[in-house]
Amino acid sequence: MPFSHLHKDIQQILDTLSDDALVPRETLGEELERYVRALYVRAEFEEHFDTRTALATIDVCRSLVKALPPEPSERQHRLTQAAIRYFVLQEDADSDTESMIGFDDDLMVARAVADALGLTGRDDG
């Protein structure tokens, strides 16, 4: 993955995720939305839940999935899938719900992928 500016722990996880078999866009969207629903439930009970960063990450991830065309390039598909899968991992570089900064790494990854794909600043409606 082309993200040498990310922490080495994040880079290692992304490298592993980028080797996964590609799944359809719809499957990525379903995985994302299933995780979002679970987050909304957990937000009610987790003391250190960072709602603001979680919502920002959700927005970027939804934009990544929405930007995938029916037949994306392998690069776009792999980058998008890695970002979504990174977000839905509970135990990535920082635990999503057990830390005050749990979603910071997820947002950093999602934004890095959006930047790499030229999606930053787009208005997808």
Side-chain angles (χ1 to χ4, degrees):
M1 294 230 119
F3 304 115
S4 59
H5 63 284
L6 296 176
H7 189 275
K8 67 179 181 175
D9 293 342
I10 296 171
Q11 183 69 38
Q12 289 174 339
I13 294 168
L14 286 173
D15 287 344
T16 299
L17 292 172
S18 69
D19 290 337
D20 288 351
L22 293 174
V23 299
R25 169 185 158 173
E26 295 76 23
T27 302
L28 287 177
E30 291 165 3
E31 288 177 13
L32 175 61
E33 295 308 321
R34 196 168 29 254
Y35 187 60
V36 168
R37 286 190 299 274
L39 284 179
Y40 280 118
V41 171
R42 291 192 73 173
E44 295 180 35
F45 303 103
E46 298 288 336
E47 179 181 353
H48 299 294
F49 195 89
D50 182 359
T51 303
R52 183 188 56 78
T53 308
L55 290 173
T57 307
I58 290 165
D59 287 344
V60 176
C61 287
R62 283 177 172 159
S63 295
L64 290 171
V65 172
K66 184 177 179 181
L68 271 179
E71 294 192 29
S73 69
E74 182 174 349
R75 177 179 181 270
Q76 183 180 11
H77 200 148
R78 285 201 181 283
L79 289 174
T80 300
Q81 181 170 304
I84 302 305
R85 295 257 169 103
Y86 188 90
F87 180 47
V88 303
L89 276 177
Q90 280 291 312
E91 298 300 325
D92 47 39
D94 286 314
S95 175
D96 289 349
T97 58
E98 295 177 14
S99 168
M100 292 287 285
I101 59 167
F103 292 108
D104 289 359
D105 59 319
D106 300 273
L107 182 56
M108 189 182 329
V109 166
R111 285 182 174 163
V113 169
D115 287 346
L117 296 174
L119 301 175
T120 306
R122 275 183 35 166
D123 183 5
D124 287 317

